Amino acid sequence: MKIAILNQKGGVGKTTLSVNLAASLSRACSRVLLIDADPQGSALDWAAARQAEPLFSAVGLPKPTLHRDIEQIGQGYDHIIIDGPPRVTELARSAIMAADLVIIPVQPSPLDVWAADEVVKQIDEARIYKPALNSVFAINRKIVNTALGRDVREALASYSVSALDASVCQRIVFAESAAQGLAVFETEPDGPAAREIEALREEIMQKYGNP
Ligand SMILES: Nc1ncnc2c1ncn2[C@@H]1O[C@H](COP(=O)(O)OP(=O)(O)OP(=O)(O)O)[C@@H](O)[C@H]1O
Ligand SMILES: [Mg+2]
């Protein structure tokens, strides 16, 4: 499956979810390629910070031809994760056209819900050419023990795109792991962050994995 993680809003967790989802899929015995489609190259920075053996392959491809190049580059992989760029650009459009599923991370704040408007529009445009394209919101940085997660679900319900039941909380271990190029399951194997990522992967594979 080809999964693009996209939202033109900066800092919502595109790279964090990309690397942890890629790591989680690799652990589940899949051959995974992570494509960094962001000119900032954050996913590649993550890979470069890593001292341990790589869990998956990672390449930088911040090019608007990604949707054309992906078949060749992705040969031999079970899953391809595309870490998308911030801002609405032709790079984001190409990442959408390259994907079977677009995951839109959103933080539980009204500003984030409003900002999602643009990526949803871009996905709707892409569906004209690619009717089978799937898209779904993933709530990230939910604050434990607040109602904000529930509120954001209600606010997101105004979009045609649904939200995953699994969500990811604000947890310092995400930033700590990123600094060492590790996935959260490597830093805290039985921790809540690792469990949240596993639940996210399971729900994604269950709902979109075997069309
Ligand atoms: N669930 C989380 N808990 C704690 N920190 C998080 C979480 N998700 C992301 N972060 C932190 O928030 C910051 C932004 O996350 P990230 O880089 O993944 O966002 P992004 O959408 O890829 O940003 P950009 O638009 O710049 O590419 C990073 O410092 C990251 O470690
Ligand atoms: Mg990023």
Side-chain angles (χ1 to χ4, degrees), residues 14-15 38 40 42 83-84:
K14 296 181 286 294
T15 303
D38 181 356
Q40 293 177 112
S42 312
D83 179 14

Side-chain angles (χ1 to χ4, degrees), residues 152-184:
V152 80
R153 275 184 194 283
E154 285 172 15
L156 288 173
S158 65
Y159 286 114
S160 53
V161 175
S162 60
L164 291 168
D165 295 326
S167 55
V168 176
C169 289
Q170 168 71 27
R171 300 189 190 279
I172 199 74
V173 68
F174 281 103
E176 285 170 354
S177 306
Q180 303 170 69
L182 296 174
V184 287

